[in-house]
Amino acid sequence: MAYTVQDIAVALGAEAFGATDLLIDGVAEPAQATAHEIALAMDPKYADGLGQGHAQVAMLWSGADWQALGLKAAIIAPRARFAMSGLTAMMDPGQGFGAGVHPSAVVDPSAVIGREVCIGPLTVIGPNARIGDHSVIGPQCFIGADVVLGEGAFLREHVSIGARVHIGARFIAQPGARVGGDGFSFVTPEESAVEKARETLGDQGELKSQSWARIHSLGSVVIGDDVELGANSCIDRGTIRDTQIGNGVKFDNLAQIGHNVSIGSDCLICAQVGVAGSSKIGNNVVLGGQTGVSDNLFIGDHVITGGATKVLANVPAGRVMLGYPAMKMETHLEVYKGLRRLPRLFRDVAALQKRVSKPETND
């Protein structure tokens, strides 16, 4: 779909200049832009690319001289990267899933399907499931019994939502996402080697064979509004109480959220993060890629962890953490500097020992 430059500017809360009636039907980087695409040159370092492409219109940085750049029109937004959110939403062509219920879909007669819902090929909707208005359920998805899925949901292909899961409005799930699998809960008839090692900080006690009994997951998963789940990410159901995800939480690909976990609102959970069972995450928390959070921990509001951080103890609100084990970022950087100095320190100590231990000569 094409929009005028003026239409785009109004939608983004931005300012338009020049020939604002030009039609735009796509977005491109400056050097690849065609005459009908808007070029993204939101920093002066991208200006040279405009001369390599054919863009007539660009989104530019504040104060840019758009006419000197050879453009016919320009859009300047107060916060250009934020404006990209609205621009890309306007220009997104979608996945082409079509409309209505595909003939190959299996929808239980007791399921309640809202208005203008798309259900793709080979998708299964279980008994008493409720799908909100204007939702899109892609091909080969599974929606289990008694699931509640709020309005405006968008499920890509191969998404699975287990029985009794409750999800709010405008949920987005990328391909292969899984919600409502059983938690990883197993126990031995006698005290296990793992329990002994944890209690003693390393001693397993007598080594002997042990078998594991499964603890079933009777709880479910409750997810708030405006949550997005990345590709092949998993959220386990609770053991007794529900696993809970607040409003506005965004998960990257390959995240794993264990049973009984509680996550507050507006958090970012980056790729390959793992949160073990029964931990509680506050609001506005950012867990960097490959962060690991041990079980039964608390992470306060506004905490940020750097990539590959391993959280083994509670973290107070507002901390920026890094390392294994996690520590305040400034402390970790000092420790790292100390580690780099160790070889020189060892050489200095060896030289000092050599001088001190050298026998005295008798005149």
Side-chain angles (χ1 to χ4, degrees):
M1 184 174 180
Y3 302 89
T4 68
V5 173
Q6 184 63 34
D7 290 339
I8 295 171
V10 170
L12 303 182
E15 192 172 2
F17 300 89
T20 59
D21 58 344
L22 286 174
L23 288 173
I24 298 298
D25 60 11
V27 182
E29 294 187 357
Q32 284 79 44
T34 68
H36 299 290
E37 294 177 318
I38 183 170
L40 300 182
M42 299 172 293
D43 189 284
K45 65 185 179 182
Y46 300 120
D48 290 344
L50 291 169
Q52 302 171 34
H54 301 282
Q56 301 182 89
V57 183
M59 183 179 288
L60 300 174
W61 64 94
S62 180
D65 186 348
W66 60 274
Q67 291 172 309
L69 294 170
L71 299 168
K72 292 185 178 180
I75 294 176
I76 296 180
R79 180 165 161 75
R81 183 164 174 80
F82 181 73
M84 278 185 64
S85 172
L87 178 62
T88 53
M90 292 177 71
M91 298 296 178
D92 190 345
Q95 295 295 313
F97 288 158
V101 179
H102 193 274
S104 67
V106 179
V107 180
D108 191 275
S110 64
V112 179
I113 309 299
R115 295 180 294 110
E116 298 181 23
V117 170
C118 167
I119 300 177
L122 303 176
T123 282
V124 175
I125 310 291
N128 300 310
R130 287 187 286 162
I131 310 299
D133 297 344
H134 311 294
S135 293
V136 176
I137 315 297
Q140 300 185 44
C141 291
F142 175 83
I143 310 295
D146 300 303
V147 166
V148 176
L149 185 61
E151 66 178 5
F154 181 70
L155 275 55
R156 289 282 303 272
E157 56 274 19
H158 300 285
V159 172
S160 174
I161 301 177
R164 299 174 295 283
V165 169
H166 194 295
I167 299 176
R170 298 171 297 279
F171 177 67
I172 297 175
Q174 299 297 335
R178 303 285 188 251
V179 180
D182 284 356
F184 190 71
S185 298
F186 296 89
V187 65
T188 54
E190 65 289 327
E191 186 181 21
S192 71
V194 174
E195 292 171 284
K196 290 178 181 177
R198 187 166 188 167
E199 180 181 353
T200 62
L201 300 181
D203 182 10
Q204 296 187 51
E206 181 185 356
L207 299 180
K208 56 183 179 181
S209 298
Q210 295 181 312
S211 58
W212 299 92
R214 189 175 191 272
I215 299 176
H216 288 244
S217 297
L218 305 182
S220 190
V221 180
V222 176
I223 297 176
D225 297 336
D226 301 299
V227 171
E228 180 159 350
L229 189 57
N232 294 320
S233 291
C234 300
I235 302 176
D236 290 346
R237 64 178 62 249
T239 304
I240 303 298
R241 68 177 186 270
D242 296 337
T243 301
Q244 297 188 349
I245 310 297
N247 297 328
V249 180
K250 314 299 182 186
F251 295 87
D252 199 355
N253 300 336
L254 297 168
Q256 160 61 23
I257 307 301
H259 60 278
N260 300 347
V261 167
S262 172
I263 297 180
S265 296
D266 298 308
C267 296
L268 284 182
I269 311 297
C270 299
Q272 297 185 349
V273 163
V275 180
S278 300
S279 283
K280 184 175 182 180
I281 313 295
N283 301 312
N284 295 106
V285 171
V286 177
L287 300 181
Q290 296 188 334
T291 291
V293 179
S294 191
D295 60 287
N296 292 281
L297 296 182
F298 173 77
I299 295 180
D301 296 347
H302 301 283
V303 166
I304 298 174
T305 67
T309 296
K310 300 298 176 274
V311 181
L312 305 179
N314 294 335
V315 181
R319 289 276 178 89
V320 180
M321 308 294 286
L322 185 64
Y324 183 3
M327 59 188 77
K328 289 194 290 186
M329 182 171 284
E330 59 267 31
T331 303
H332 179 272
L333 293 176
E334 287 302 312
V335 170
Y336 180 69
K337 290 176 184 177
L339 286 173
R340 294 187 64 183
R341 296 187 188 109
L342 281 178
R344 183 175 65 187
L345 177 62
F346 290 151
R347 290 194 297 269
D348 292 345
V349 170
L352 180 61
Q353 287 177 326
K354 187 175 181 180
R355 288 199 300 269
V356 170
S357 61
K358 186 176 180 179
E360 295 184 1
T361 58
N362 295 322
D363 295 333

